[in-house]
Amino acid sequence: MPAKKTKTASPKPRAVLVANERYGLYIGETAATDAEITAAKSVRLANCRHVCQWYGKTGGITSLAAHGPCGQRAQESRVGAPCTAALVTGVVNVFDLSPEAIAAFASIVPR
């Protein structure tokens, strides 16, 4: 009797902020696990946006992941238009975005 195949559930996509070796910052959605990203040092992002410049509570990357662009100058932040899919290579950090940060990024219109 053949062994039953167990169906592994695909990871649920999660919103992330990714930093790469070239100091690029990107936001998007990934279904990749932390282990997959660590092994490959790359991540495929859906709805990827490049974060060029931002204003926030402390200016740090973890603050950006927690709060997104915020404060009086938040709308002066520069975040690119979303592309359908992107492969970001040289990944050094991945931060999950909070619901607050997701909303804040959504409010930034590319110029």
Side-chain angles (χ1 to χ4, degrees):
M1 186 173 218
K4 285 187 178 180
K5 291 185 180 181
T6 57
K7 189 174 183 179
T8 56
S10 298
K12 180 181 172 190
R14 59 188 174 139
V16 293
L17 169 68
V18 176
N20 75 354
E21 294 169 340
R22 303 284 184 195
Y23 302 102
L25 293 176
Y26 304 88
I27 59 167
E29 299 168 356
T30 186
T33 65
D34 290 343
E36 291 169 334
I37 296 168
T38 300
K41 289 196 174 191
S42 64
V43 63
R44 182 156 299 278
L45 296 177
N47 302 313
C48 180
R49 296 179 74 186
H50 179 227
V51 182
C52 306
Q53 177 182 348
W54 77 92
Y55 294 94
K57 292 188 177 185
T58 65
I61 296 172
T62 55
S63 178
L64 187 61
H67 307 290
C70 57
Q72 294 177 342
R73 299 182 69 189
Q75 290 303 312
E76 295 177 44
S77 298
R78 292 179 47 217
V79 182
C83 67
T84 305
L87 177 65
V88 179
T89 60
V91 172
V92 293
N93 298 106
V94 178
F95 303 93
D96 290 324
L97 291 176
S98 72
E100 177 185 351
I102 294 167
F105 278 113
S107 76
I108 303 297
V109 178
R111 347 180 212 136

